[in-house]
Amino acid sequence: NGRFERIQENIPAHCLQLLDFIVKEPEILRMPVAIDFGTASTTAGVLDFKQESGVAEMLSEKIRHAVFYDDNGRETFILPTLVGVRSLKDYKNPEYAFGYEALELMSYVEKNYTVFYDIKRWIAYGDKAEELTDSEGRRVFIKRKDILREFFIYVIHALEDYIKGKVRAVHFSAPVKQKRTFQKLFQEMLPEYVVE
């Protein structure tokens, strides 16, 4: 705020010896994570495991889910399947909001944020472009599969943060009649992952 204040000259201090610690890289998961991409909500998880020297050992039949925070700040395993557009200042890299954050953008009616729901239907037409606008009136057209990719990267990173591991393979639930369509699009969208 531009004001300077005088700091007291004698500040009491205590020296404490820190515990020795090592910063480790997260291990790469040897098993696929599952993402249930629903029309209204999405969830992601992996079986409870212990991984030592590259071998995964199942500890229980419990599932470790990605954790999200609802509009009241409470932990939840379910993310609303919504994508919002915060800003198009850098039109090549739109700033998105997902799930509860996108839901919050919908409440700012006067700001005119773009929020997409029912994005599961986009799977059949992934190459179709959608018009994105932000609260400043900027516009850009982005392919649906590029928007979906950002949504899934968000979900995968939320799971990685929670389990402290790197995801290598992903299993997506898909309707039987659309299994090939789902698999083809997911492999195009997420080439850095093994898609099952």
Side-chain angles (χ1 to χ4, degrees):
N1 60 15
R3 288 188 344 198
F4 291 98
E5 294 182 15
R6 188 178 170 106
I7 298 174
Q8 129 185 25
E9 291 176 15
N10 296 340
I11 298 176
H14 299 279
C15 293
L16 297 172
Q17 186 173 354
L18 292 176
L19 296 173
D20 189 22
F21 65 92
I22 299 169
V23 177
K24 293 171 62 175
E25 287 292 319
E27 284 194 62
I28 296 172
L29 299 182
R30 303 284 184 234
M31 61 178 65
V33 300
I35 296 178
D36 182 15
F37 178 43
T39 304
S41 61
T42 298
T43 189
V46 65
L47 287 173
D48 194 18
F49 68 95
K50 175 177 76 174
Q51 189 163 309
E52 289 183 15
S53 61
V55 177
E57 175 189 337
M58 200 165 97
L59 296 177
S60 69
E61 290 187 18
K62 184 180 170 193
I63 296 173
R64 295 169 65 190
H65 289 90
V67 173
F68 307 100
Y69 296 92
D70 67 14
D71 45 4
N72 294 317
R74 291 184 303 244
E75 287 186 359
T76 179
F77 301 141
I78 296 171
L79 180 73
T81 308
L82 296 170
V83 177
V85 179
R86 282 195 187 285
S87 174
L88 295 172
K89 191 173 186 177
D90 177 0
Y91 71 94
K92 290 184 179 178
N93 297 302
E95 185 183 334
Y96 294 106
F98 304 104
Y100 293 100
E101 292 175 14
L103 194 59
E104 186 181 328
L105 291 181
M106 291 174 75
S107 65
Y108 297 111
V109 178
E110 72 282 352
K111 293 275 189 175
N112 217 13
Y113 286 107
T114 299
V115 178
F116 296 108
Y117 56 92
D118 209 13
I119 60 175
K120 187 171 183 176
R121 294 181 189 266
W122 289 3
I123 299 297
Y125 306 100
D127 285 320
K128 184 177 177 186
E130 290 291 333
E131 180 182 10
L132 279 61
T133 57
D134 68 4
S135 61
E136 301 295 318
R138 295 177 282 239
R139 293 178 6 159
V140 69
F141 287 88
I142 303 280
K143 285 186 179 180
R144 287 175 167 179
K145 67 182 176 184
D146 295 332
I147 299 169
L148 287 170
R149 173 183 165 71
E150 295 301 320
F151 178 78
F152 290 118
I153 293 295
Y154 175 81
V155 171
I156 291 168
H157 286 175
L159 182 59
E160 287 177 333
D161 286 347
Y162 185 70
I163 63 172
K164 307 298 183 241
K166 285 296 278 176
V167 171
R168 188 181 70 154
V170 183
H171 171 83
F172 286 95
S173 59
V176 176
K177 292 179 181 179
Q178 293 184 309
K179 196 169 187 173
R180 284 201 175 108
T181 306
F182 268 61
Q183 185 149 13
K184 180 179 180 282
L185 186 61
F186 284 122
Q187 285 172 341
E188 285 176 21
M189 284 189 306
L190 303 166
E192 64 269 50
Y193 299 98
V194 175
V195 176
E196 297 182 1

